Amino acid sequence: MANDRFGRDIHYLRISLTDRCNLRCVYCMPEDMKFRPRKELLQDDELLLLVRLFTELGFHKFRLTGGEPTLRSDIVEIVSRIAATPGVEDVAMTTNAVLLPRLAAPLAEAGLRRLNIHVDTFHPERLKKIMRFGSIDEIEAGIAAAEAAGLRPIKINCVVTRDYNDQDVTDLALRARERNWHVRFIELMPLGGGETAHVALAQFVPSRETKQRIEDALGRLVLVPGGHPSDESKNFRFADGKGGVIGFISPVSEPYCGSCNRMRLTADGKFHLCLLNDDELDVKKALRTGGGVPAVAAILARAVALKPTGHRLDEGVSTEERQMFQIGG
Ligand code: SAM
């Protein structure tokens, strides 16, 4: 078991498979993007070696993200190889669902267990404004494919952004109720210093405001007891017992760093120790400069040991070097 210096049991790795994305959410990515050359990204065998070494440290949960993980051309094979690695108990993915009509069934067959689908609104014009590319029809088709492939319950991630989609949170909560989804409303975080961080700071909506808006429209929400302490989402159900779970992820207004069990591996092979600061260790260099497995294993152990205890957003400190798509959300 990998315990860090604050006694946290760190057993969950988020792997960014690519920095590329087929959407351009305003708070995540500028519209005119230049992505990294593919040779700079970790290759399959490098990834698989790291997964194996992580399981030896006691990691058992893995989430594939990006950028958009389904853009990696051999994504089904990657899932299948990770799922078959001894010690891996759970392989999940965060995706915008656009490519799921083609991929949901093969991914489920390859061993994918869970899927978080990102959609900020089901209002067609506001979707264009906030996510820039993609359409409701594509995302709905992706959700339907995930459901048909048995990747249930459907978890929807919605990043609440003032004047872009905050007026749609009630509609999303209603869909959760009607379609028995787990919808999680996420607070915007200022990452990367530039235009996207500016949007995140200027359009921030605290979770308590989102919750109040939903309760005013749809009735009281009741806390679901017994959540795992490391669960980043505080989950609620409707007081009348009708379907769906409404979650709030509040890294800014209610940080949960003390129970964070996550490590992040960027697509270009760095351990990013905390989402909200710039500390990184270069594992790709260790993989490619011939130190062999012992050198890589030593970096993994060091990354766990150095994981910071908390972010310092309230002091204006965040990651300046990378945006969310370059870390893996
Ligand atoms: N492409 C996939 C997707 O859309 O879910 C996976 C990668 S995306 C970076 C993961 C999640 O991070 C998405 O739900 C996205 O909305 C969220 N995200 C991106 N930038 C963010 C920010 N500045 N604050 C909060 N969430 C953010």
Side-chain angles (χ1 to χ4, degrees), residues 20-23 25 27-29 64-69 94-96 116-120 131 157-159 186-191 196 200 251 323-326 328-329:
R20 281 159 209 272
C21 192
N22 39 2
L23 305 186
C25 300
Y27 47 78
C28 188
M29 219 186 241
L64 305 177
T65 178
E68 174 49 42
T94 303
T95 173
N96 60 38
N116 287 4
I117 293 176
H118 165 215
V119 45
D120 289 332
M131 300 173 90
N157 287 344
C158 164
V159 178
I186 303 174
E187 282 181 349
L188 265 176
M189 290 170 274
L191 278 80
T196 51
Q323 289 154 357
M324 187 71 109
F325 74 91
Q326 293 164 317

Side-chain angles (χ1 to χ4, degrees), residues 20 23 103 134 195 203 208 251 278 280-281 303 308 310:
R20 281 159 209 272
L23 305 186
L103 286 171
E195 173 196 323
Q203 314 306 130
R208 68 172 173 285
D278 279 323
E280 292 188 339
L281 295 180

Side-chain angles (χ1 to χ4, degrees), residues 45-232:
D45 287 343
E46 293 173 323
L47 273 172
L48 266 295
L49 171 63
L50 290 173
V51 167
R52 182 168 69 72
L53 293 176
F54 265 111
T55 60
E56 287 171 11
L57 273 180
F59 280 65
H60 48 84
K61 277 180 77 174
F62 294 83
R63 173 172 294 278
L64 305 177
T65 178
E68 174 49 42
T70 56
L71 290 180
R72 184 115 172 190
S73 57
D74 51 356
I75 181 66
V76 174
E77 195 191 332
I78 293 178
V79 167
S80 145
R81 289 178 70 188
I82 294 178
T85 303
V88 172
E89 290 171 12
D90 188 37
V91 188
M93 182 182 285
T94 303
T95 173
N96 60 38
V98 169
L99 296 178
L100 287 183
R102 176 162 57 82
L103 286 171
L107 284 172
E109 218 164 285
L112 190 76
R113 288 285 153 267
R114 293 177 307 117
L115 211 51
N116 287 4
I117 293 176
H118 165 215
V119 45
D120 289 332
T121 173
F122 282 88
H123 185 285
E125 278 140 43
R126 287 197 284 274
L127 182 110
K128 284 281 173 225
K129 196 172 155 210
I130 191 168
M131 300 173 90
R132 292 202 186 108
F133 307 160
S135 69
I136 306 286
D137 286 351
E138 284 173 305
I139 293 170
E140 280 281 22
I143 294 172
E147 282 182 321
L151 292 164
R152 294 200 203 97
I154 294 293
K155 270 195 189 176
I156 303 280
N157 287 344
C158 164
V159 178
V160 185
T161 307
R162 195 176 301 286
D163 300 335
Y164 283 86
N165 69 337
D166 57 332
Q167 57 277 66
D168 297 325
V169 297
T170 304
D171 171 65
L172 267 153
L174 197 56
R175 285 169 197 261
R177 189 175 155 91
E178 285 168 355
R179 296 169 74 169
N180 215 9
W181 289 345
H182 182 168
V183 173
R184 294 143 20 119
F185 295 100
I186 303 174
E187 282 181 349
L188 265 176
M189 290 170 274
L191 278 80
E195 173 196 323
T196 51
H198 175 74
V199 171
L201 288 169
Q203 314 306 130
F204 176 75
V205 181
S207 288
R208 68 172 173 285
E209 184 182 321
T210 303
K211 179 165 173 276
Q212 191 62 56
R213 192 165 191 153
I214 293 168
E215 289 190 308
D216 288 348
L218 302 178
R220 200 163 60 85
L221 291 169
V222 182
L223 188 66
V224 178
H228 192 274
S230 67
D231 189 352
E232 58 198 339

